[in-house]
Amino acid sequence: MNCTKCKTKAVIGLPRHNAAFCKSCFNGFVHDQVARAIKSEKMFGKEDRILVAVSGGKDSLALWDILLTLGYRADALYVNLGIGTYSVQSHAKVTKFAEAVATSHGATLHLQTVEQEAGAGIKELAQLIHRPTCSTCGTIKRYQFNRVAIKQQYDVMATGHNLDDEAARLLGNVLHWQEEYLDKQGPSLPASVEGFAKKVKPLYRLTERELAAYCVLNKIDYIVEECPMAKGARTLLYKEVLNRLETESPGTKQTFYWGFLDKQARTAPPTTSMTEKDQAALHPCAACGQPTTAEICSYCKLMARAKSSAAL
Amino acid sequence: MNCTKCKTKAVIGLPRHNAAFCKSCFNGFVHDQVARAIKSEKMFGKEDRILVAVSGGKDSLALWDILLTLGYRADALYVNLGIGTYSVQSHAKVTKFAEAVATSHGATLHLQTVEQEAGAGIKELAQLIHRPTCSTCGTIKRYQFNRVAIKQQYDVMATGHNLDDEAARLLGNVLHWQEEYLDKQGPSLPASVEGFAKKVKPLYRLTERELAAYCVLNKIDYIVEECPMAKGARTLLYKEVLNRLETESPGTKQTFYWGFLDKQARTAPPTTSMTEKDQAALHPCAACGQPTTAEICSYCKLMARAKSSAAL
């Protein structure tokens, strides 16, 4: 198998693009896809200050690496959720990457530890509010991430969601026809009201497998294990099913997700409608001041329940 | 496991309804689901003459049986496509059912054999027009079925498409965001212009597994094998994937398909828009007079190609 571009020996085949690449051309392909995502979705410019949410996994570290390589002003935030060995190891991977790569680009790593004030771990918190662990974790991370972005005046927050993540999420939403969530599936969500930062997903054109390959080829050391809390999560099932379809028909994931974005762009420009909808519904949380559609935001509710439960 | 309704020993469990039934209550459940489909989708009344498309498989024979049991005026049509042993066996199953059950209800079985005029089988025909075998077969069966329904003045044509069929078709259309086809996914399509019969799918509330159980419990002898031409068909892959999701979350298929129908009913009444759209686009085929959106209908095109290829 030779590289489609330069004809030297290929190190990876990409069935969905009917192509194969050597290391150098593969890096070029990955950088191009991210540059294309940033440009076509008007994510940010060279002057913008970007805050990357890093977890220690392949996607977010690859994202940080790619943005720095492309010359963007990208700092990062790691939120330590105290999930035993998993958090210890992922924390270490992030610090290692920051020291080895990010610092030389003049980039900063912010660290945030969620204090288990009420003594309740993420699993117990999820049980208290009767929601899946992953969605509780999502609430906490989104909250912390937004808070730091606003406080430190970043122009935009970037997450490492890849094509597999977005296609799996879309499949789940489509299977249940959750139109409200379908509206919010774009890779670029504008800053909606004072206090809510703009959010972008520059990796939505790249698959999980491609990002793993990028890390391995570029010696980016990441945490390989899935989060132990994710075991049995719906998303993993949807990914498995999409991989089955992808094997039979390479390109299924991108046709599915990109086709959805095209359709959305044709029917209703998501940017405008999102902003209007959000501006109408959002206002500051009575407890912490961050934007919410309820009186008290879900993070503050969660923490209040945790405290009252611990007091019993 | 006891019957949810009458507490005697159950013969089948239905995880998606969180229920189990004995034979008699299961038959009641199946009949209820079909009656509900007929009523809610305004499919037909007791005076209407119905033409059921039968293939010899479980779904269409169960459909014929259920409609006769419910007291409807249901005749049937079998189209013999000459697919070797498969057609011989399925033909025999249909004839056997007609003699054993349908005749006693005063129902008629129409038989139609597609003459391989040009000497080309279904597989060769498909290759000639560069389309999958199953879609070519579909073209032929829809044509023959509609022709007989119109000629013999039936009020409505009924097919045995079940929840698995419709959910799989919907998944395929959603994965490719084929909006044109999404429009036509309803279980009740009105007669659009002179020459196009009304089409309904009374089994859309029942799964493949439930219909197989109905046949076994009621001693309806059907052809168990899939059509040999269907091997590798996309639909089978989509069904496999949906079964995987259903196992993990019973009810996935119905949430997906029924949710789609609800959404469709909310956004645009399909019946009206379909009729208007079709009336605008359809006119009689220049060759055979059946309705088509092109000058020559796809069936006549297919047959013309087969003839010209045989003449070479």
Side-chain angles (χ1 to χ4, degrees), chain B residues 54 63 71 84 119 140 163 175 183 190 208 228 266 300 304:
Chain B
V54 288
L63 175 59
I140 297 177
L163 180 56
L175 284 173
D183 275 355
E208 215 154 79
R266 277 199 311 277
C300 288

Side-chain angles (χ1 to χ4, degrees), chain B residues 112 142-152 290:
Chain B
Q112 190 78 30
R142 272 192 301 277
Y143 180 90
Q144 295 292 348
F145 189 30
N146 190 62
R147 209 172 58 89
V148 172
I150 294 293
K151 205 172 165 186
Q152 311 260 352
Q290 283 220 60

Side-chain angles (χ1 to χ4, degrees), chain B residues 2-40:
Chain B
N2 286 332
C3 176
T4 312
K5 277 189 97 173
C6 74
K7 311 299 171 201
T8 59
K9 196 166 176 274
V11 292
I12 183 169
L14 300 185
R16 73 185 174 110
H17 287 291
N18 201 14
F21 293 119
C22 67
K23 179 185 165 180
S24 162
C25 291
F26 177 68
N27 279 342
F29 160 81
V30 168
H31 295 158
D32 277 357
Q33 291 295 322
V34 175
R36 231 172 122 172
I38 294 168
K39 198 181 164 195
S40 71

Side-chain angles (χ1 to χ4, degrees), chain A:
Chain A
M1 196 169 64
N2 287 331
C3 175
T4 313
K5 277 188 97 175
C6 72
K7 312 298 171 200
T8 58
K9 198 164 176 275
V11 292
I12 184 169
L14 301 184
R16 73 185 175 109
H17 287 293
N18 201 18
F21 291 120
C22 67
K23 178 183 165 184
S24 161
C25 292
F26 177 69
N27 279 342
F29 160 81
V30 168
H31 295 158
D32 277 356
Q33 291 296 322
V34 175
R36 231 170 122 173
I38 294 168
K39 198 183 164 190
S40 70
E41 299 286 329
K42 301 183 184 64
M43 293 183 175
F44 42 73
K46 285 279 156 85
E47 289 312 305
D48 288 320
R49 287 183 66 235
I50 306 159
L51 183 65
V52 180
V54 289
S55 66
K58 64 189 183 317
D59 306 307
S60 55
L61 289 183
L63 174 59
W64 199 12
D65 182 84
I66 296 164
L67 293 182
L68 291 172
T69 307
L70 291 176
Y72 286 101
R73 299 173 66 192
D75 288 344
L77 170 67
Y78 174 78
V79 178
N80 191 324
L81 284 148
I83 306 176
T85 326
Y86 178 76
S87 288
V88 173
Q89 286 175 351
S90 60
H91 192 157
K93 303 284 184 189
V94 172
T95 319
K96 187 176 163 196
F97 179 84
E99 283 162 8
V101 180
T103 316
S104 69
H105 285 87
T108 304
L109 171 66
H110 301 278
L111 294 170
Q112 190 77 31
T113 299
V114 174
E115 287 167 43
Q116 305 295 322
E117 325 176 344
I122 186 82
K123 211 172 172 175
E124 289 76 26
L125 277 175
Q127 279 165 351
L128 281 172
I129 56 162
H130 306 293
R131 277 175 66 196
T133 315
C134 294
S135 96
T136 307
C137 172
T139 300
I140 297 175
K141 286 203 288 191
R142 271 191 302 276
Y143 180 90
Q144 295 292 350
F145 190 30
N146 191 62
R147 208 172 57 89
V148 173
I150 294 292
K151 206 171 164 188
Q152 312 259 352
Q153 295 182 299
Y154 282 96
D155 297 293
V156 57
M157 314 193 293
T159 55
H161 294 95
N162 57 40
L163 180 56
D164 292 68
D165 295 322
E166 294 305 294
R169 191 181 154 195
L170 180 60
L171 181 61
N173 287 337
V174 159
L175 285 173
H176 299 90
W177 294 105
Q178 293 181 302
E179 288 166 86
E180 195 194 320
Y181 293 111
L182 279 173
D183 275 355
K184 302 206 177 186
Q185 270 250 236
S188 185
L189 294 178
S192 41
V193 279
E194 197 63 41
F196 236 153
K198 177 176 180 175
K199 275 186 221 162
V200 297
K201 298 169 181 173
L203 302 185
Y204 82 93
R205 302 182 62 89
L206 293 163
T207 65
E208 216 154 80
R209 177 175 163 266
E210 288 153 12
L211 290 158
Y214 182 85
C215 287
V216 171
L217 290 171
N218 296 287
K219 300 196 172 47
I220 297 171
D221 185 21
Y222 63 92
I223 184 155
V224 175
E225 294 81 45
E226 286 284 345
C227 171
M229 296 294 147
K231 220 176 178 178
R234 273 291 163 269
T235 313
L236 295 184
L237 175 63
Y238 297 146
K239 283 188 180 176
E240 174 202 317
V241 153
L242 286 168
N243 281 334
R244 174 83 184 91
L245 295 169
E246 183 78 20
T247 306
E248 294 291 328
S249 287
T252 299
K253 290 175 204 168
Q254 73 184 45
T255 305
F256 179 47
Y257 184 56
W258 300 359
F260 166 77
L261 295 179
D262 284 347
K263 178 183 128 80
Q264 214 180 31
R266 276 198 312 279
T267 49
T271 313
T272 331
S273 66
M274 274 293 307
T275 315
E276 282 164 8
K277 249 193 252 175
D278 283 358
Q279 275 173 345
L282 291 174
H283 52 86
C285 165
C288 73
Q290 281 219 61
T292 173
T293 51
E295 202 196 327
I296 304 284
C297 79
S298 46
Y299 181 85
C300 288
K301 271 187 211 152
L302 175 65
M303 287 307 167
R305 286 211 209 169
K307 271 180 200 159
S308 67
S309 143
L312 290 177

Side-chain angles (χ1 to χ4, degrees), chain B residues 213-265:
Chain B
Y214 182 84
C215 286
V216 171
L217 290 171
N218 296 286
K219 300 196 173 48
I220 297 170
D221 184 21
Y222 64 92
I223 184 154
V224 176
E225 295 81 44
E226 287 283 347
C227 170
M229 296 293 148
K231 219 174 177 179
R234 273 291 163 267
T235 313
L236 296 184
L237 175 64
Y238 297 147
K239 284 187 180 174
E240 174 202 315
V241 153
L242 286 167
N243 281 334
R244 175 81 185 90
L245 296 170
E246 183 78 22
T247 306
E248 294 291 328
S249 289
T252 300
K253 290 175 203 170
Q254 73 185 42
T255 304
F256 179 47
Y257 184 56
W258 301 358
F260 166 77
L261 295 179
D262 284 349
K263 177 183 128 79
Q264 213 180 31

